[in-house]
Amino acid sequence: MAVQPVYAEDRAIHRALRIIETRFKRHSVVLDSVVIAGDFLRLLLAGKEREEFWALWLDSRHALIESELLARGTVNSTAVYPREVVKSALRHNAVAVIFGHNHPSGDPEPSLADECLTDTLRDALALVNIQLVDHFVVTPHEARSATTVRRADARHSRIRTKIPKRAKEAGSVLSPRSHTGSQRGNNHE
């Protein structure tokens, strides 16, 4: 029985990603550029039919320790639990992290739930002195830094008017489309 082309391509992509990750580790490639981190996450996540939430665990120089799939969800949300994220960070002895998740819809804009999750994870990791460097939203065509977008939005909102950040006003970290998530976890899109 012949292997279907798409399956063969997926296996080839998976092997290529492992080679890239191995080289990143062996040569201590520093993920200090939005372009490098975004491209790596795009290779991991572009074209996935369901949301996946990944962590790139980094050492003190921001060299890659390990890339890890933390959660897999549905077509429009993923449950991410801060407790599990912190446990994984400590297990890898990480000093910093870059998160990335995909939007199968193709919309690269971070949702309000994405922003709330980023804040929640930043706060949880800060308690154990782990820096959240960035959080990317990935589509087949781009990997957008949600953190950079938020900083630009914050600068513009401070210039125009003094209004609180949208993420703090939300009050809930559940996906706006689904209010059935666990109270202990965060559903995010």
Side-chain angles (χ1 to χ4, degrees), residues 17-18 34-35 44 57 83 88 93 97 141 170 173 185 188:
L17 281 168
R18 293 301 130 218
V34 172
V35 174
L44 280 173
W57 301 116
R83 174 185 171 89
S88 182
N93 202 26
V97 64
H141 306 290
V173 292
H188 100 275

Side-chain angles (χ1 to χ4, degrees), residues 34-67:
V34 172
V35 174
I36 294 171
D39 285 349
F40 184 72
L41 286 165
R42 214 169 123 231
L43 286 171
L44 280 173
L45 291 165
K48 301 279 186 183
E49 294 178 356
R50 296 174 9 188
E51 277 201 15
E52 293 185 359
F53 190 89
W54 283 76
L56 304 180
W57 301 116
L58 309 174
D59 66 14
S60 59
R61 295 179 308 110
H62 291 189
L64 183 66
I65 296 170
E66 191 71 49
S67 64

